Amino acid sequence: MGLTSNKMLALTILCAVLLFAGTVWLWPRLARRNWRAVSGRVGLLLATQLALFACVGIAVNQAFGFYASWADLMGTETDQGVVVDHTPGGSAAGPVRLVATSEVHGMGGSLPRTAGQIQQVDIVGRTTHIATPAYVYLPAEYFQPQYRTRTFPVLVVLSGYPGTARALVDKLHYPRTAQHLVQAGRMRPTILVMLRPTVAPPRDTECVDVPHGPGTETFFAKDLPDAVRAHYRVDGKPGGWGIVGDSTGGYCALKLAMHHPGVYGAGAGLSPSYKAPKDPTTGDLFQGDQGLKNRANLWWYLAHEPAPDTSLLVTSSKIGESNYKDTLKFIARVQATNRTRISSIILDSGGHNFNTWRREIPATLEWISGRLAER
């Protein structure tokens, strides 16, 4: 029974209710002061409390998509998959392996040429050897005869930490929102590559090339674009790609767009931070390399490196987001460069959660599409 299944949540709630009812029923019988009665009361209280905590934890995980499975929760994911190249005439050593396909829910059809398609894939970096699962959304136009010779812009979409790639589909509704925007003429048909920045779970690498560790930045700046270009009809021109993420993924999106403007013509951070933290989830990302640490700090980068020729979008809320003041400062710093372009979405109120990001995603997608179209 999966960690995110409705059956698991229902079973946990049922256990909590039965334990509560049992506690009420048995409490009078356990009113004595001998050790058996005391042990019984303590056991019932502990069991009921644990069941209630489990209910809350599973419900929150379903709402926010922190962990996709028990292995994900325990940090024991090790599956790398067998890589198969599905391009015509390709070899078996290609960087993308197709695992499964599914329709885009809520689009009123199941045919790819009318509703698009979501492909679950495994991606392996040729230079970093990082392997990670992802979901690729192909717009309906990708399958239509009149577009068969066209290439498409690409938007890399990153979750937060720990996050799950599936939550980008099921909770934040990126594919469905993109398709609606295309139908309304507010967005170009765009391929979405959705994954989490945690490519070496359970460690949070903050999209840094960790010395003697995962080359996460290189994976997103080189390996991922190379793998997608080898497998799909995508725009290969500079600036034909954008990147967006929330929370940790938002920091990664901004950093990758600033460090690699030749790859990402636009980057959007929803509720981002502006430098990599050091905490138990990250460990020591820089191993004493001050240059690497400085480069990962977007404040330092703006002050000491040439301003990148890219477009950035940041979001925050006046009430509910801890990054509000930093976001205003970041906007001012970028404006002072007179080269990097900056836009923002500032809500009156909204917490650091999916509901807030769902309110920001349509405008963000429209903004990114416009920036990619202009280049």
Side-chain angles (χ1 to χ4, degrees):
M1 191 177 296
L3 180 61
T4 60
S5 70
N6 290 329
K7 289 182 180 179
M8 173 60 68
L9 179 59
L11 179 61
T12 309
I13 292 173
L14 178 61
C15 288
V17 171
L18 290 175
L19 281 167
F20 177 78
T23 301
V24 173
W25 176 259
L26 292 173
W27 198 262
R29 303 184 183 186
L30 299 173
R32 299 177 183 176
R33 295 185 178 181
N34 59 53
W35 69 268
R36 291 181 179 176
V38 172
S39 299
R41 292 198 299 270
V42 171
L44 281 173
L45 289 173
L46 284 176
T48 303
Q49 291 295 318
L50 286 173
L52 289 173
F53 279 122
C55 288
V56 172
I58 291 173
V60 169
N61 186 66
Q62 280 198 338
F64 292 98
F66 294 128
Y67 299 98
S69 64
W70 293 107
D72 191 16
L73 174 65
M74 305 305 293
T76 58
E77 283 187 330
T78 58
D79 292 342
Q80 299 296 310
V82 178
V83 180
V84 178
D85 187 358
H86 294 274
T87 55
S91 69
V96 176
R97 182 175 74 93
L98 180 64
V99 176
T101 62
S102 60
E103 63 185 76
V104 182
H105 295 297
M107 296 311 301
S110 59
L111 295 177
R113 67 175 179 270
T114 59
Q117 185 182 79
I118 296 171
Q119 297 188 348
Q120 183 181 352
V121 300
D122 289 332
I123 298 174
V124 178
R126 288 184 183 269
T127 60
T128 62
H129 307 293
I130 287 174
T132 187
Y135 290 89
V136 177
Y137 161 71
L138 300 174
E141 290 77 7
Y142 191 88
F143 301 95
Q144 295 171 3
Q146 63 269 34
Y147 287 90
R148 65 183 178 275
T149 60
R150 295 276 193 92
T151 58
F152 291 79
V154 177
L155 179 60
V156 175
V157 184
L158 301 177
S159 71
Y161 176 85
T164 67
R166 189 70 206 180
L168 299 169
V169 178
D170 293 341
K171 304 298 184 182
L172 291 177
H173 310 306
Y174 270 98
R176 189 169 67 192
T177 303
Q179 191 73 358
H180 283 311
L181 289 171
V182 170
Q183 291 174 347
R186 296 167 54 193
M187 180 181 179
R188 296 169 63 196
T190 301
I191 293 173
L192 308 183
V193 181
M194 297 165 284
L195 65 167
R196 58 182 186 174
T198 313
V199 295
R203 189 177 190 184
D204 175 13
T205 60
E206 294 285 321
C207 298
V208 168
D209 280 349
V210 181
H212 313 296
T216 313
E217 181 168 350
T218 298
F219 173 81
F220 283 108
K222 177 173 172 52
D223 285 351
L224 178 63
D226 286 349
V228 174
R229 289 189 191 105
H231 195 78
Y232 298 101
R233 302 196 314 273
V234 302
D235 196 335
K237 300 187 295 293
W241 286 50
I243 185 166
V244 61
D246 59 76
S247 193
T248 296
Y251 160 73
C252 287
L254 296 176
K255 181 173 68 174
L256 288 162
M258 292 171 67
H259 288 185
H260 306 279
V263 178
Y264 296 109
L270 311 184
S271 309
S273 55
Y274 299 100
K275 64 178 182 179
K278 182 178 180 180
D279 58 34
T281 67
T282 64
D284 185 357
L285 294 174
F286 309 109
Q287 302 292 310
D289 188 331
Q290 189 61 41
L292 185 63
K293 183 177 181 180
N294 288 341
R295 183 174 166 80
N297 186 321
L298 302 189
W299 303 110
W300 185 95
Y301 196 85
L302 286 170
H304 296 88
E305 294 289 341
D309 181 16
T310 192
S311 297
L312 304 176
L313 170 73
V314 291
T315 79
S316 189
S317 303
K318 296 177 183 177
I319 300 173
E321 284 281 20
S322 61
N323 76 336
Y324 175 61
K325 291 182 179 179
D326 279 346
T327 296
L328 297 183
K329 283 197 253 183
F330 185 79
I331 292 169
R333 294 276 183 92
V334 174
Q335 285 178 314
T337 67
N338 294 319
R339 179 173 171 82
T340 305
R341 299 162 294 281
I342 185 75
S343 303
S344 67
I345 298 173
I346 305 295
L347 302 178
D348 288 332
S349 66
H352 198 78
N353 55 52
F354 282 4
N355 183 60
T356 296
W357 299 327
R358 280 192 292 263
R359 295 160 60 196
E360 298 166 341
I361 286 170
T364 299
L365 292 179
E366 187 174 357
W367 175 88
I368 288 182
S369 183
R371 294 325 179 265
L372 299 183
E374 292 171 1
R375 294 179 68 88

